[in-house]
Amino acid sequence: MQLARTVYSADGRVLLSAGVVIKESYIDRLRKLGFPAVYVGDPVEAEAFREAVRESTRRRAIAVVKRSFNEVKLGSSLQLEPIAQVVNDIVDEVVANREVILPLTDIRSHDEYTFGHSVNVCIISVMLGIALELDDLTLRDLAMGAILHDVGKVKVPEEILLKPAPLTSKEWTEMRKHTLYGFQLLRGGDGVSSRAAHVAYQHHERSDGSGYPRALAGNGIHLFAKIVAVADTYDAMTSDRIYRKGVTPFAALKVIKELASEESGQLDKHVVDTFLANVVPYPPGSKVRLNTGEVGMVVGKGANSFDSVMVEVKYDAYGRALSKPTIITVLNMRVAHMV
Ligand SMILES: [Fe+2]
């Protein structure tokens, strides 16, 4: 098997380049480093499915966030300059690739959850901000708030943060304080606006008033926090954690849709509708099996509904390669499974 995408270390170094033939020893080493999976296949084909943000930029951002958060943990003040620089690169790339539908997959090692999550939430929030037609300055502000939304976690004890089991109610009380801690760290800081600081404070508030820390509702919650709440929920659900496996993008999108329904009303409906209109539940390049038994590859987004995608059918129900692959729109992805 050939590696379809370059694998980077946590600090952004190339571990294995795309195109390398994967040996057993590489797999062992990657496992030891905590990588649960890699992309395999033809690197040229994989190139056709560009990501909104280059993997090298994403890795650099993770490294910057990790360093900055660790410095705060050790008692230094938060250095916003390097974060602002990498956030600007992320915004530039997402804006330049605005036609790219976000491939909603991510492969990373477990120990990096907070950092990788912060960067993903930033990327998804920027994508949402573009779809919501925010202007450039506002986008950069939103991106800053999004990447720093969980910075308050540096003040939460690690035994709570990394506990591989459900938290006790006392531990939950402490965990919830990361919102206030984050706001306190960011408030009045040079290079971070008040509304960006409020993302840390409000990203767990819910439109129906069921959130924390202040049980704000509806218009009491800033748009930035509503956007980040959607991005945060989505990325948290699809990520593998120590104590559970992440759900598929499709399953997560269904839950998010429900959370914005009239009965639930936790997430902002307009933000969620915009999100669903701009993502594809199975990333381009995914191999899927249809309920007809045919096997193909997702090549793009279908019509309006979030569960419709375009599939290039390559094999018939008996596994025979088709001489002429055909592209069809699958209207209801519930009939397909990733293979
Ligand atoms: Fe949070």
Side-chain angles (χ1 to χ4, degrees), residues 16 28 97 157 185 189 238 262:
L16 285 173
D28 285 347
N97 293 326
L185 278 167
T238 50
E262 251 169 58

Side-chain angles (χ1 to χ4, degrees), residues 20-288:
V20 155
V21 175
I22 305 164
K23 294 185 195 160
E24 203 64 44
S25 60
Y26 297 165
I27 298 173
D28 285 347
R29 176 125 183 79
L30 289 171
R31 279 221 181 96
K32 281 198 186 102
L33 287 168
F35 286 90
V38 292
Y39 293 95
V40 295
D42 183 351
V44 180
E45 222 170 79
E47 191 51 37
F49 304 111
R50 281 182 305 142
E51 303 213 31
V53 171
R54 282 197 299 265
E55 182 61 17
S56 54
T57 307
R58 221 173 65 83
R59 285 281 144 197
R60 188 157 48 84
I62 291 172
V64 168
V65 171
K66 188 173 184 174
R67 196 170 59 235
S68 308
F69 282 26
N70 283 339
E71 280 168 4
V72 178
K73 206 177 254 177
L74 295 170
S76 306
S77 58
L78 182 63
Q79 295 299 311
L80 290 165
E81 187 53 35
I83 297 176
Q85 274 175 19
V86 81
V87 157
N88 279 331
D89 291 344
I90 288 175
V91 176
D92 288 343
E93 287 186 30
V94 182
V95 168
N97 293 326
R98 57 168 70 215
E99 296 311 320
V100 175
I101 297 161
L102 192 69
L104 294 170
T105 50
D106 177 41
I107 294 171
R108 64 186 159 213
S109 54
H110 297 305
D111 59 314
E112 304 220 284
Y113 177 71
T114 300
F115 314 116
H117 173 67
S118 300
V119 173
N120 282 352
V121 167
C122 176
I123 295 169
I124 298 170
S125 298
V126 172
M127 193 206 77
L128 259 166
I130 293 170
L132 289 163
E133 299 179 344
L134 303 183
D135 64 61
D136 191 71
L137 214 66
T138 310
L139 268 186
R140 282 165 212 277
D141 231 5
L142 165 66
M144 241 357 226
I147 206 165
L148 292 164
H149 77 281
D150 264 347
V151 64
K153 284 192 177 169
V154 300
K155 303 268 181 203
V156 175
E158 263 186 13
E159 57 269 27
I160 296 178
L161 222 49
L162 300 176
K163 190 178 173 186
L167 301 180
T168 64
S169 69
K170 210 171 149 207
E171 287 166 338
W172 254 116
T173 307
E174 187 53 41
M175 184 66 152
R176 288 172 175 213
K177 286 187 193 157
H178 78 275
T179 49
L180 179 62
Y181 295 150
F183 181 59
Q184 288 167 341
L185 278 167
L186 298 176
R187 185 177 45 183
D190 256 355
V192 63
S193 69
S194 164
R195 58 185 176 178
H198 273 87
V199 171
Y201 205 8
Q202 297 185 4
H203 70 279
H204 288 289
E205 300 289 0
R206 293 294 175 257
S207 294
D208 62 352
S210 65
Y212 63 88
R214 289 180 290 168
L216 302 176
N219 290 335
I221 306 168
H222 193 277
L223 174 66
F224 280 12
K226 288 176 174 170
I227 292 172
V228 171
V230 172
D232 184 25
T233 305
Y234 176 80
D235 190 67
M237 279 173 52
T238 50
S239 300
D240 284 343
R241 303 299 300 275
I242 309 163
Y243 49 88
R244 59 152 175 79
K245 253 192 100 50
V247 303
T248 64
F250 180 64
L253 293 176
K254 268 206 314 197
V255 173
I256 288 199
K257 193 176 179 183
E258 274 159 34
L259 288 173
S261 68
E262 251 169 58
E263 303 84 68
S264 170
Q266 290 193 32
L267 295 175
D268 185 86
K269 191 166 178 341
H270 181 52
V271 174
V272 168
D273 285 346
T274 308
F275 186 57
L276 295 177
N278 285 278
V279 290
V280 57
Y282 291 83
S286 306
K287 215 171 154 193
V288 289

Side-chain angles (χ1 to χ4, degrees), residues 290-315:
L290 308 180
N291 62 343
T292 54
E294 296 165 305
V295 171
M297 188 173 68
V298 175
V299 290
K301 196 168 163 49
N304 299 323
S305 169
F306 80 92
D307 56 3
S308 106
V309 294
M310 294 207 309
V311 172
E312 186 178 317
V313 180
K314 293 185 162 182
Y315 299 93

